[in-house]
Every structure is written in structure tokens, then in C-alpha cells.
Amino acid sequence: MSRAFTVDDLNRLASEQRNPRTGDIDTLATTDLLARINDEDARVAAAVRLELPQIARAVDAAVAAFRQGGRLVYIGAGTSGRLGVLDASECPPTFSVPPAMVVGLIAGGETALRTAVEGAEDNARQGARDLQTANVTAADVVLGLTASGRTPYVIGALRYARSIGARTVALTCVPAPELAEHADISIAPEVGPEVLTGSTRMKSGTAQKMVLNMISTAAMIRIGKTYRNLMVDVAVSNEKLRARALGILCTVTGLPGDAAAQLLAEADDDVKTAIVMHTAELSADAARARLTAAGGVLRGALMTEPPA
């Protein structure tokens, strides 16, 4: 059990230090104030870049889990938890994956997405219970999100995940020795003091969002959910996504809009099927069979490369 967190502990966190570059921020004109925030934000990408080797390890772990039927499970509290839920919720419409493939859990449950649930982040046992409720197994990768690196809810979750043999990843914005004890992979971009002391929804939140974007996007690319830099597994679930699907189809095949729309309809709104139909001159059923044989990877299913 973690010891009680004290004022001294809090004051030692980088996110709780006063930023010497923003001490006068409340005296600035609006444009100057925004420039100061932007200057601090510019430091985030460099901090994330230093963590690329560890981020790559997390991507590879997620890819291995996906290929074996496992999941990527994000779990966090507050802003960190919301970012995990956001990234998970965007994977199905972007890559046409089942909602259960990337899962986001937050301390306090769905209520905490919109309203602070006081004390939820301090309950280490609940972190473990939430993973149990989500039926996490050794086939899954569990990524714990905590800007401070000391959130009991996340520590409890990673401790449980590791105890059942799941791969564990910690994403923090400070060195976090206690959390790292329970993580196979530790990602810790050090973004430094926040613009507003302790407001980790700012630089820390930006860093975490960047890393989550990298992990989910790179993992989906690695398992064949894209072709070139196009989201060919896009789910045609609304008019915007239909327009995107048609744009992708036109780009890859060179077809005009009307012909692409007809082809997409014949492929039951599946962009990859439509591309294989056109490129290999196959029926929809034959194109689907070829994609299945290629594990759903478009490059593997194409007999010839369409023009770039």
C-alpha cells in the first residue's frame, strides 16, 4: 500500500513548481499572454521526441497484443483518464476496429468524463477492480496514465495488470520510480513546470495526447489499417466519412467521383474492397476473399500497385 501523499511530496513534482517564464503572466496583454502559453507548448514536442524509443516499445507491445486477439487498455484519472477515453473512442470510426479493441477506463466511471469525482484517483483497489470488470487478461496491454506519476488508482491498476501477466506501460510527465516498478515500459516526457502552477491539463495533457496519438495510430498502421498515408479502413458512418471514403477511393484508383461512388456502393461501403475490385478487376466477393487471405492488409491483397 502506498504511503500518504504529503505537501512536501507535491512540492517536489515538476508540475507543481512555479514556472520562472510565466510569473508575470497575469499582467500581460492578451496577445502576449497567448504567446507565452504558445512558447511553453513548443517545448512539449521536444520532450516527447526524447521518449520515442520507449513509445516504440509500447507500439510494438500493442501490435503483438492485437495480432493475438488482445486489447490495448488505457486507464487513468482526471485529465489523463479523459485523454485515454478520447483516444480509445476515436479508434473505431477512424480504423473500423471493434470498440473493445482499444478501451478507455477512467477513475469514477463515465460521470468523471464531465464532472470531477472527488477522491476517485486515490483508490488503488478500484483501479484493480475496474480492470477486473473489464475482463483484462494476460493477452492485453494496460497503459496507465498519470501526469504526476503517483496516482494510486493507476498504480493499483498496473500492479494488478502485471500480477496477471498483462504487459504494462506507464505514461507520466515526470520521473516516476514507484509507478515504473509496475510497468514493463515507462514513457515520461519531462515537460517542466506548467504555465499555471499545477495545471497539468496544459503541457502535461498535451504531451499525453501526443503520445497516445502516436501509439494508437502507429499500431493501427502496423497491423494494416492504412494504405500509404490513407485511412482505407475508415467506417462510412456519416456524410463526412462518406466523403472521406470517396476521396480516398478517387485518390487510389484515379476514378472520377461518380464512378467511385458506384464502386463504393458495390463494395457495400468498404473502401479496401472497392480498391481491390478496381485494381485486380474482381467481383466484390472475390475481392473480399483476397483481403481475407491477406489478413485484411490492402497491400498484401493487391496484385499490382495503383499509380502513386
Side-chain angles (χ1 to χ4, degrees), residues 95-118:
F95 301 109
S96 289
V97 297
M101 189 168 168
V102 183
V103 177
L105 303 174
I106 182 171
E110 289 194 14
T111 299
L113 292 175
R114 296 174 179 82
T115 307
V117 178
E118 301 301 335

PDB file of all heavy atoms in Angstrom, residues 95-118:
ATOM      1  N   PHE A  95     -10.529   3.660 -37.769  1.00  0.00           N
ATOM      2  CA  PHE A  95      -9.877   2.470 -38.306  1.00  0.00           C
ATOM      3  C   PHE A  95     -10.811   1.270 -38.457  1.00  0.00           C
ATOM      4  O   PHE A  95     -10.354   0.168 -38.787  1.00  0.00           O
ATOM      5  CB  PHE A  95      -8.693   2.078 -37.412  1.00  0.00           C
ATOM      6  CG  PHE A  95      -7.657   3.162 -37.290  1.00  0.00           C
ATOM      7  CD1 PHE A  95      -7.500   3.867 -36.108  1.00  0.00           C
ATOM      8  CD2 PHE A  95      -6.838   3.496 -38.362  1.00  0.00           C
ATOM      9  CE1 PHE A  95      -6.537   4.859 -35.986  1.00  0.00           C
ATOM     10  CE2 PHE A  95      -5.886   4.493 -38.255  1.00  0.00           C
ATOM     11  CZ  PHE A  95      -5.729   5.183 -37.063  1.00  0.00           C
ATOM     12  N   SER A  96     -12.100   1.458 -38.211  1.00  0.00           N
ATOM     13  CA  SER A  96     -13.077   0.372 -38.318  1.00  0.00           C
ATOM     14  C   SER A  96     -12.710  -0.830 -37.453  1.00  0.00           C
ATOM     15  O   SER A  96     -12.844  -1.978 -37.869  1.00  0.00           O
ATOM     16  CB  SER A  96     -13.253  -0.067 -39.779  1.00  0.00           C
ATOM     17  OG  SER A  96     -13.928   0.912 -40.515  1.00  0.00           O
ATOM     18  N   VAL A  97     -12.246  -0.570 -36.250  1.00  0.00           N
ATOM     19  CA  VAL A  97     -11.962  -1.659 -35.318  1.00  0.00           C
ATOM     20  C   VAL A  97     -13.119  -1.775 -34.332  1.00  0.00           C
ATOM     21  O   VAL A  97     -13.851  -0.812 -34.092  1.00  0.00           O
ATOM     22  CB  VAL A  97     -10.639  -1.422 -34.566  1.00  0.00           C
ATOM     23  CG1 VAL A  97      -9.473  -1.406 -35.545  1.00  0.00           C
ATOM     24  CG2 VAL A  97     -10.672  -0.141 -33.754  1.00  0.00           C
ATOM     25  N   PRO A  98     -13.301  -2.952 -33.727  1.00  0.00           N
ATOM     26  CA  PRO A  98     -14.352  -3.098 -32.714  1.00  0.00           C
ATOM     27  C   PRO A  98     -14.087  -2.185 -31.523  1.00  0.00           C
ATOM     28  O   PRO A  98     -12.931  -1.950 -31.157  1.00  0.00           O
ATOM     29  CB  PRO A  98     -14.251  -4.571 -32.311  1.00  0.00           C
ATOM     30  CG  PRO A  98     -13.472  -5.238 -33.392  1.00  0.00           C
ATOM     31  CD  PRO A  98     -12.559  -4.199 -33.967  1.00  0.00           C
ATOM     32  N   PRO A  99     -15.139  -1.666 -30.898  1.00  0.00           N
ATOM     33  CA  PRO A  99     -14.943  -0.785 -29.733  1.00  0.00           C
ATOM     34  C   PRO A  99     -14.139  -1.440 -28.610  1.00  0.00           C
ATOM     35  O   PRO A  99     -13.486  -0.744 -27.832  1.00  0.00           O
ATOM     36  CB  PRO A  99     -16.379  -0.480 -29.286  1.00  0.00           C
ATOM     37  CG  PRO A  99     -17.198  -0.649 -30.517  1.00  0.00           C
ATOM     38  CD  PRO A  99     -16.554  -1.756 -31.282  1.00  0.00           C
ATOM     39  N   ALA A 100     -14.181  -2.761 -28.524  1.00  0.00           N
ATOM     40  CA  ALA A 100     -13.481  -3.450 -27.441  1.00  0.00           C
ATOM     41  C   ALA A 100     -11.995  -3.604 -27.698  1.00  0.00           C
ATOM     42  O   ALA A 100     -11.251  -4.053 -26.821  1.00  0.00           O
ATOM     43  CB  ALA A 100     -14.099  -4.835 -27.215  1.00  0.00           C
ATOM     44  N   MET A 101     -11.511  -3.216 -28.870  1.00  0.00           N
ATOM     45  CA  MET A 101     -10.097  -3.430 -29.197  1.00  0.00           C
ATOM     46  C   MET A 101      -9.186  -2.436 -28.486  1.00  0.00           C
ATOM     47  O   MET A 101      -8.079  -2.772 -28.058  1.00  0.00           O
ATOM     48  CB  MET A 101      -9.902  -3.320 -30.706  1.00  0.00           C
ATOM     49  CG  MET A 101      -8.541  -3.721 -31.200  1.00  0.00           C
ATOM     50  SD  MET A 101      -8.573  -3.869 -33.005  1.00  0.00           S
ATOM     51  CE  MET A 101      -6.837  -3.972 -33.364  1.00  0.00           C
ATOM     52  N   VAL A 102      -9.636  -1.179 -28.379  1.00  0.00           N
ATOM     53  CA  VAL A 102      -8.928  -0.159 -27.602  1.00  0.00           C
ATOM     54  C   VAL A 102      -9.930   0.382 -26.593  1.00  0.00           C
ATOM     55  O   VAL A 102     -10.974   0.917 -26.973  1.00  0.00           O
ATOM     56  CB  VAL A 102      -8.381   0.977 -28.488  1.00  0.00           C
ATOM     57  CG1 VAL A 102      -7.588   1.965 -27.638  1.00  0.00           C
ATOM     58  CG2 VAL A 102      -7.507   0.427 -29.610  1.00  0.00           C
ATOM     59  N   VAL A 103      -9.608   0.232 -25.325  1.00  0.00           N
ATOM     60  CA  VAL A 103     -10.563   0.526 -24.249  1.00  0.00           C
ATOM     61  C   VAL A 103     -10.017   1.655 -23.382  1.00  0.00           C
ATOM     62  O   VAL A 103      -8.822   1.685 -23.072  1.00  0.00           O
ATOM     63  CB  VAL A 103     -10.797  -0.729 -23.377  1.00  0.00           C
ATOM     64  CG1 VAL A 103     -11.734  -0.424 -22.212  1.00  0.00           C
ATOM     65  CG2 VAL A 103     -11.346  -1.868 -24.228  1.00  0.00           C
ATOM     66  N   GLY A 104     -10.887   2.582 -22.992  1.00  0.00           N
ATOM     67  CA  GLY A 104     -10.503   3.662 -22.094  1.00  0.00           C
ATOM     68  C   GLY A 104     -11.273   3.581 -20.789  1.00  0.00           C
ATOM     69  O   GLY A 104     -12.505   3.544 -20.801  1.00  0.00           O
ATOM     70  N   LEU A 105     -10.568   3.531 -19.675  1.00  0.00           N
ATOM     71  CA  LEU A 105     -11.182   3.491 -18.351  1.00  0.00           C
ATOM     72  C   LEU A 105     -10.730   4.701 -17.552  1.00  0.00           C
ATOM     73  O   LEU A 105      -9.565   5.100 -17.618  1.00  0.00           O
ATOM     74  CB  LEU A 105     -10.781   2.213 -17.601  1.00  0.00           C
ATOM     75  CG  LEU A 105     -11.107   0.878 -18.286  1.00  0.00           C
ATOM     76  CD1 LEU A 105     -10.527  -0.280 -17.484  1.00  0.00           C
ATOM     77  CD2 LEU A 105     -12.609   0.712 -18.459  1.00  0.00           C
ATOM     78  N   ILE A 106     -11.648   5.276 -16.784  1.00  0.00           N
ATOM     79  CA  ILE A 106     -11.326   6.473 -16.001  1.00  0.00           C
ATOM     80  C   ILE A 106     -11.826   6.308 -14.574  1.00  0.00           C
ATOM     81  O   ILE A 106     -12.923   5.760 -14.342  1.00  0.00           O
ATOM     82  CB  ILE A 106     -11.941   7.740 -16.648  1.00  0.00           C
ATOM     83  CG1 ILE A 106     -11.568   8.992 -15.861  1.00  0.00           C
ATOM     84  CG2 ILE A 106     -13.442   7.615 -16.833  1.00  0.00           C
ATOM     85  CD1 ILE A 106     -11.955  10.293 -16.554  1.00  0.00           C
ATOM     86  N   ALA A 107     -11.042   6.752 -13.619  1.00  0.00           N
ATOM     87  CA  ALA A 107     -11.442   6.711 -12.217  1.00  0.00           C
ATOM     88  C   ALA A 107     -12.742   7.488 -12.038  1.00  0.00           C
ATOM     89  O   ALA A 107     -12.850   8.633 -12.467  1.00  0.00           O
ATOM     90  CB  ALA A 107     -10.350   7.316 -11.340  1.00  0.00           C
ATOM     91  N   GLY A 108     -13.721   6.852 -11.426  1.00  0.00           N
ATOM     92  CA  GLY A 108     -15.016   7.496 -11.234  1.00  0.00           C
ATOM     93  C   GLY A 108     -16.022   7.166 -12.314  1.00  0.00           C
ATOM     94  O   GLY A 108     -17.178   7.596 -12.239  1.00  0.00           O
ATOM     95  N   GLY A 109     -15.596   6.421 -13.334  1.00  0.00           N
ATOM     96  CA  GLY A 109     -16.528   5.996 -14.382  1.00  0.00           C
ATOM     97  C   GLY A 109     -16.968   7.124 -15.298  1.00  0.00           C
ATOM     98  O   GLY A 109     -16.338   8.186 -15.353  1.00  0.00           O
ATOM     99  N   GLU A 110     -18.047   6.889 -16.036  1.00  0.00           N
ATOM    100  CA  GLU A 110     -18.490   7.844 -17.052  1.00  0.00           C
ATOM    101  C   GLU A 110     -18.810   9.219 -16.482  1.00  0.00           C
ATOM    102  O   GLU A 110     -18.626  10.234 -17.156  1.00  0.00           O
ATOM    103  CB  GLU A 110     -19.711   7.292 -17.794  1.00  0.00           C
ATOM    104  CG  GLU A 110     -19.362   6.128 -18.718  1.00  0.00           C
ATOM    105  CD  GLU A 110     -20.479   5.814 -19.681  1.00  0.00           C
ATOM    106  OE1 GLU A 110     -21.412   6.649 -19.821  1.00  0.00           O
ATOM    107  OE2 GLU A 110     -20.437   4.736 -20.291  1.00  0.00           O
ATOM    108  N   THR A 111     -19.261   9.279 -15.245  1.00  0.00           N
ATOM    109  CA  THR A 111     -19.544  10.574 -14.618  1.00  0.00           C
ATOM    110  C   THR A 111     -18.303  11.459 -14.622  1.00  0.00           C
ATOM    111  O   THR A 111     -18.382  12.675 -14.820  1.00  0.00           O
ATOM    112  CB  THR A 111     -20.025  10.377 -13.175  1.00  0.00           C
ATOM    113  OG1 THR A 111     -21.231   9.610 -13.188  1.00  0.00           O
ATOM    114  CG2 THR A 111     -20.291  11.714 -12.490  1.00  0.00           C
ATOM    115  N   ALA A 112     -17.145  10.840 -14.436  1.00  0.00           N
ATOM    116  CA  ALA A 112     -15.892  11.594 -14.334  1.00  0.00           C
ATOM    117  C   ALA A 112     -15.451  12.191 -15.663  1.00  0.00           C
ATOM    118  O   ALA A 112     -14.546  13.026 -15.686  1.00  0.00           O
ATOM    119  CB  ALA A 112     -14.793  10.689 -13.786  1.00  0.00           C
ATOM    120  N   LEU A 113     -16.087  11.800 -16.770  1.00  0.00           N
ATOM    121  CA  LEU A 113     -15.739  12.394 -18.054  1.00  0.00           C
ATOM    122  C   LEU A 113     -16.143  13.859 -18.109  1.00  0.00           C
ATOM    123  O   LEU A 113     -15.528  14.661 -18.824  1.00  0.00           O
ATOM    124  CB  LEU A 113     -16.420  11.632 -19.202  1.00  0.00           C
ATOM    125  CG  LEU A 113     -15.919  10.209 -19.433  1.00  0.00           C
ATOM    126  CD1 LEU A 113     -16.764   9.532 -20.499  1.00  0.00           C
ATOM    127  CD2 LEU A 113     -14.452  10.216 -19.843  1.00  0.00           C
ATOM    128  N   ARG A 114     -17.169  14.221 -17.371  1.00  0.00           N
ATOM    129  CA  ARG A 114     -17.683  15.597 -17.409  1.00  0.00           C
ATOM    130  C   ARG A 114     -17.598  16.309 -16.066  1.00  0.00           C
ATOM    131  O   ARG A 114     -17.587  17.534 -16.019  1.00  0.00           O
ATOM    132  CB  ARG A 114     -19.139  15.592 -17.878  1.00  0.00           C
ATOM    133  CG  ARG A 114     -19.315  15.090 -19.291  1.00  0.00           C
ATOM    134  CD  ARG A 114     -20.789  14.969 -19.654  1.00  0.00           C
ATOM    135  NE  ARG A 114     -20.946  14.514 -21.021  1.00  0.00           N
ATOM    136  CZ  ARG A 114     -20.872  13.245 -21.405  1.00  0.00           C
ATOM    137  NH1 ARG A 114     -20.645  12.306 -20.495  1.00  0.00           N
ATOM    138  NH2 ARG A 114     -21.015  12.897 -22.664  1.00  0.00           N
ATOM    139  N   THR A 115     -17.562  15.535 -14.983  1.00  0.00           N
ATOM    140  CA  THR A 115     -17.588  16.119 -13.643  1.00  0.00           C
ATOM    141  C   THR A 115     -16.516  15.472 -12.786  1.00  0.00           C
ATOM    142  O   THR A 115     -16.355  14.249 -12.820  1.00  0.00           O
ATOM    143  CB  THR A 115     -18.971  15.882 -12.984  1.00  0.00           C
ATOM    144  OG1 THR A 115     -19.997  16.353 -13.853  1.00  0.00           O
ATOM    145  CG2 THR A 115     -19.048  16.589 -11.640  1.00  0.00           C
ATOM    146  N   ALA A 116     -15.785  16.282 -12.031  1.00  0.00           N
ATOM    147  CA  ALA A 116     -14.759  15.724 -11.149  1.00  0.00           C
ATOM    148  C   ALA A 116     -15.409  14.832 -10.100  1.00  0.00           C
ATOM    149  O   ALA A 116     -16.391  15.215  -9.465  1.00  0.00           O
ATOM    150  CB  ALA A 116     -13.987  16.849 -10.476  1.00  0.00           C
ATOM    151  N   VAL A 117     -14.881  13.627  -9.945  1.00  0.00           N
ATOM    152  CA  VAL A 117     -15.346  12.705  -8.903  1.00  0.00           C
ATOM    153  C   VAL A 117     -14.284  12.702  -7.812  1.00  0.00           C
ATOM    154  O   VAL A 117     -13.239  12.061  -7.941  1.00  0.00           O
ATOM    155  CB  VAL A 117     -15.565  11.286  -9.471  1.00  0.00           C
ATOM    156  CG1 VAL A 117     -16.007  10.340  -8.356  1.00  0.00           C
ATOM    157  CG2 VAL A 117     -16.603  11.312 -10.587  1.00  0.00           C
ATOM    158  N   GLU A 118     -14.534  13.459  -6.775  1.00  0.00           N
ATOM    159  CA  GLU A 118     -13.524  13.673  -5.747  1.00  0.00           C
ATOM    160  C   GLU A 118     -13.119  12.361  -5.075  1.00  0.00           C
ATOM    161  O   GLU A 118     -13.964  11.548  -4.711  1.00  0.00           O
ATOM    162  CB  GLU A 118     -14.048  14.660  -4.691  1.00  0.00           C
ATOM    163  CG  GLU A 118     -14.437  16.024  -5.246  1.00  0.00           C
ATOM    164  CD  GLU A 118     -13.289  16.739  -5.940  1.00  0.00           C
ATOM    165  OE1 GLU A 118     -12.116  16.445  -5.609  1.00  0.00           O
ATOM    166  OE2 GLU A 118     -13.556  17.581  -6.810  1.00  0.00           O
TER     167      GLU A 118
END
